[in-house]
């Protein structure tokens, strides 16, 4: 592996993973469900949780900047079996996400060229993503920088135009605070509405942890990783909270236009509606192009992250050794080829029958990100305990997380709430076993990996005094 990712790459990799269709399209649905106040409160709460997680990740990733990231931390500070489960969980999560992005990209292209078969676009985009990742780590970082920059510029323009419309400078008469007081606003549906958005907001922020994976190939990680983590969190929170606030001011929660939540609803995306009202020509086509770059960005990062995790699993003996081979450009090609093939196979399930297999695959990966977040919090708690148990001085840490031990413990609890409550409706009234299984299937899969590895290998919990605190020498 080569340390060729610069600070700007790290920042945009993390931002690119977290900013996508959840903000550009589904944000309107959150306001329709919980009202502008409810949606804002949910995103602020989740943002605080992500801040705590990024603090935990920053401390470990700066001390141990390795491509295995969560798998390595979980193995060293919790147990080899937990690390095995976290690593494979993260790998299949992003491998399946790559397939999901291929489906979404084909839907976007249908907007312009409805007569071209979807699989052609998916195959073309997969080839592009593979090429960017196969070229070099620097090529991936550079492409992700520009993909993410397009999204960031779009959001900044949206925020500026939104503020100008709120104060009445453009777009006609200002609505003032009327949309925050109409009907049941600002809080719609009470606690249940906020809880529902809590889950959506959590999924929206997933991807911020990518900076931990990229730390293994970052220049001067002791300096650049903390910088990226600090700037990423502030910007992502500003973008999400700012966008939710502006949509809440400009569009009433009762508007049917806010109900769309998929890429096929781009013409009624809140971003599209605000741009149209501000007089932006061809707003739907512009947002379609932006969302296409957002999808390709997510697929690009997903392929990178899953490839690096598969390489790390092989490097630590938890996957076949041939996957640990790295070529002369510092790219783990075997791991990349296998991950690309799995992503393509998952995509092909959309073409078989009614696509039910694909729906189950996506459902299985739905909880994976939250499980990894829990792993980060738990690993950090045990890392800090091991660090002090072995007589190290906290002042020697390159980056020190705030609010320990409350921070990781609170993040762990909030993640558990999101995981357990993500589809609580299935247990209300008549129990819907199929809906419950579809929503929670990722949890038993993770537990099967964890307990299965423990039964086979007999691995034990790592004692604080025995934890491996050895740092990489490069």
């Amino acid at each position: 592996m080569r340390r060729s990712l610069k600070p700007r790459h790290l920042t945009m990799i993390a931002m690119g993973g977290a900013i996508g269709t959840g903000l550009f399209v589904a944000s309107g649905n959150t306001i329709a469900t919980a009202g502008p106040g409810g949606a804002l409160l949910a995103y602020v709460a989740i943002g605080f949780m992500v801040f705590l997680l990024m603090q935990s990740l920053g401390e470990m990733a700066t001390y141990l900047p390795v491509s295995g990231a969560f798998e390595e931390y979980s193995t060293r500070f919790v147990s080899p079996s937990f690390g095995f489960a976290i690593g494979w969980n993260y790998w299949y999560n992003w491998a399946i996400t790559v397939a999901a992005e291929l489906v979404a990209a084909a839907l976007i292209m249908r907007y312009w060229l409805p007569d071209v078969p979807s699989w052609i676009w998916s195959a073309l985009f997969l080839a592009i993503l593979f090429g960017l990742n196969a070229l070099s780590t620097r090529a991936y970082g550079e492409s992700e920088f520009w993909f993410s920059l397009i999204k960031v510029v779009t959001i900044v323009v949206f925020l500026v135009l939104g503020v100008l419309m709120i104060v009445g400078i453009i777009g006609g008469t200002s609505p003032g605070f009327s949309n925050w007081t109409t009907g049941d606003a600002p809080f719609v549906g009470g606690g249940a509405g906020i809880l529902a958005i809590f889950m959506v907001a959590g999924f929206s922020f997933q991807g911020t942890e990518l900076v931990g994976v990229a730390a293994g190939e970052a220049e001067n990680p002791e300096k650049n990783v903390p910088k990226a983590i600090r700037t990423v969190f502030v910007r992502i929170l500003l973008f999400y909270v700012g966008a939710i606030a502006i949509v809440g001011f400009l569009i009433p929660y009762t508007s049917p236009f806010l109900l769309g939540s998929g890429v096929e609803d781009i013409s009624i995306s809140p971003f599209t509606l605000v741009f149209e009202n501000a007089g932006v020509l061809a707003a739907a086509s512009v947002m379609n192009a932006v969302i296409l770059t957002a999808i390709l960005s997510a697929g690009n990062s997903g392929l990178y992250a899953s490839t690096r995790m598969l390489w790390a699993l092989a490097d630590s003996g938890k996957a076949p050794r041939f996957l640990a081979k790295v070529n002369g450009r510092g790219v783990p090609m075997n791991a990349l080829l296998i991950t690309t093939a799995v992503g393509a196979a998952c995509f092909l399930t959309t073409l078989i029958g009614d696509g039910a297999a694909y729906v189950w695959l996506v459902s299985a990966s739905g909880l994976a990100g939250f499980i990894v977040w829990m792993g980060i919090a738990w690993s950090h708690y045990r890392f800090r305990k091991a660090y002090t148990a072995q007589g190290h001085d906290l002042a020697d840490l390159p980056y020190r997380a705030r609010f320990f031990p409350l921070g990781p413990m609170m993040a762990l609890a909030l993640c558990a709430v999101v995981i357990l409550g993500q589809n609580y409706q299935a247990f209300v009234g008549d129990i819907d076993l199929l809906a419950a299984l579809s929503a929670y299937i990722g949890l038993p899969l993770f537990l099967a990996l964890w307990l299965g590895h423990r039964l086979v290998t007999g691995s034990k919990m790592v004692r604080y005094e025995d934890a491996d605190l050895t740092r990489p020498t490069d």
Side-chain angles (χ1 to χ4, degrees):
M1 296 292 188
R2 296 178 179 176
R3 295 198 178 277
S4 54
L5 294 176
K6 297 182 179 296
R8 62 186 179 90
H9 296 140
L10 287 179
T11 299
M12 287 301 191
I13 285 168
M15 292 179 70
I19 298 174
T21 54
L23 176 61
F24 290 128
V25 183
S27 56
N29 195 292
T30 66
I31 293 173
T33 302
L40 204 58
L41 182 61
Y43 274 88
V44 169
I46 286 290
F48 179 65
M49 181 187 77
V50 173
F51 168 73
L52 297 175
L53 284 166
M54 294 296 279
Q55 289 280 306
S56 292
L57 179 59
E59 183 169 299
M60 293 187 294
T62 307
Y63 185 83
L64 288 171
V66 292
S67 291
F70 332 116
E71 181 269 332
E72 183 79 10
Y73 309 147
S74 299
T75 296
R76 290 196 188 198
F77 310 125
V78 182
S79 77
S81 295
F82 187 70
F84 175 88
I86 284 288
W88 281 106
N89 169 83
Y90 196 71
W91 172 77
Y92 79 68
N93 172 40
W94 277 110
I96 293 170
T97 298
V98 170
E101 303 303 347
L102 295 177
V103 173
L107 287 173
I108 286 288
M109 294 307 297
R110 189 184 297 170
Y111 179 89
W112 291 303
L113 299 165
D115 297 327
V116 178
S118 296
W119 68 266
I120 292 179
W121 294 118
S122 296
L124 174 62
F125 291 135
L126 181 60
I128 292 172
L129 298 181
F130 174 82
L132 291 172
N133 277 267
L135 193 56
S136 68
T137 300
R138 183 67 178 271
Y140 156 73
E142 201 64 39
S143 61
E144 189 56 28
F145 174 83
W146 290 106
F147 278 147
S148 298
L149 186 62
I150 292 171
K151 294 187 283 188
V152 169
V153 169
T154 302
I155 296 170
V156 170
V157 172
F158 174 82
L159 295 176
V160 171
L161 291 179
V163 170
L164 293 177
M165 293 172 73
I166 290 170
V167 299
I169 295 176
I170 62 173
T173 304
S174 168
F177 284 89
S178 61
N179 291 329
W180 287 76
T181 56
T182 184
D184 295 329
F187 299 101
V188 178
I194 294 174
L195 181 61
I197 303 311
F198 203 66
M199 316 307 162
V200 176
F203 283 107
S204 298
F205 277 98
Q206 285 190 11
T208 50
E209 78 287 338
L210 282 166
V211 70
V213 178
E217 294 174 275
E219 290 182 353
N220 193 3
E222 284 195 17
K223 176 183 177 183
N224 294 333
V225 170
K227 182 180 177 181
I229 283 176
R230 283 193 296 266
T231 57
V232 161
F233 169 75
V234 172
R235 292 173 186 175
I236 289 176
L237 186 63
L238 174 65
F239 290 160
Y240 270 97
V241 171
I244 293 291
I246 283 174
V247 174
F249 271 105
L250 297 177
I251 304 175
Y253 80 91
T254 53
S255 171
F257 293 122
L258 294 180
L259 297 177
S261 59
V263 292
E264 67 275 11
D265 302 314
I266 182 57
S267 61
I268 57 173
S269 154
F271 273 66
T272 304
L273 296 175
V274 170
F275 281 144
E276 285 179 343
N277 292 338
V280 176
L281 297 176
S285 288
V286 170
M287 279 309 302
N288 219 45
V290 169
I291 291 178
L292 179 61
T293 64
I295 289 168
L296 294 178
S297 169
N300 196 33
S301 289
L303 195 55
Y304 170 82
S306 51
T307 296
R308 280 359 181 233
M309 188 56 70
L310 188 57
W311 171 86
L313 287 165
D315 190 58
S316 62
K318 300 183 182 74
R321 289 294 302 174
F322 80 95
L323 295 172
K325 185 178 180 181
V326 177
N327 67 15
R329 298 186 303 280
V331 177
M333 278 301 295
N334 291 340
L336 176 60
L337 286 166
I338 292 296
T339 302
T340 304
V342 169
C346 292
F347 165 72
L348 290 176
T349 61
T350 65
L351 308 177
I352 301 171
D354 58 357
Y358 172 74
V359 172
W360 280 96
L361 283 169
V362 173
S363 296
S365 72
L367 290 180
F370 290 105
I371 291 171
V372 167
W373 282 3
M374 292 186 75
I376 291 171
W378 193 17
S379 297
H380 176 234
Y381 180 85
R382 293 186 58 82
F383 163 73
R384 180 71 78 85
K385 290 290 188 180
Y387 192 81
T388 54
Q390 295 185 25
H392 295 283
D393 188 346
L394 292 177
D396 295 332
L397 284 171
Y399 176 78
R400 188 170 169 181
R402 302 179 188 177
F403 312 124
F404 185 90
L406 186 60
M409 292 171 66
M410 186 178 295
L412 197 65
L414 288 173
C415 282
V417 169
V418 174
I419 288 176
L420 297 176
Q422 63 140 348
N423 194 20
Y424 69 92
Q425 298 96 329
F427 301 100
V428 177
D430 295 330
I431 296 177
D432 189 340
L433 289 178
L434 187 61
L437 183 61
S438 176
Y440 295 101
I441 189 172
L443 200 53
L445 285 175
F446 173 77
L447 293 174
L449 287 169
W450 184 3
L451 299 178
H453 185 272
R454 183 173 180 177
L455 286 173
V456 171
T457 64
S459 70
K460 305 292 185 183
M461 184 81 76
V462 176
R463 295 173 66 247
Y464 294 137
E465 296 79 8
D466 299 330
D468 182 5
L469 294 173
T470 307
R471 303 185 68 189
T473 56
D474 57 328

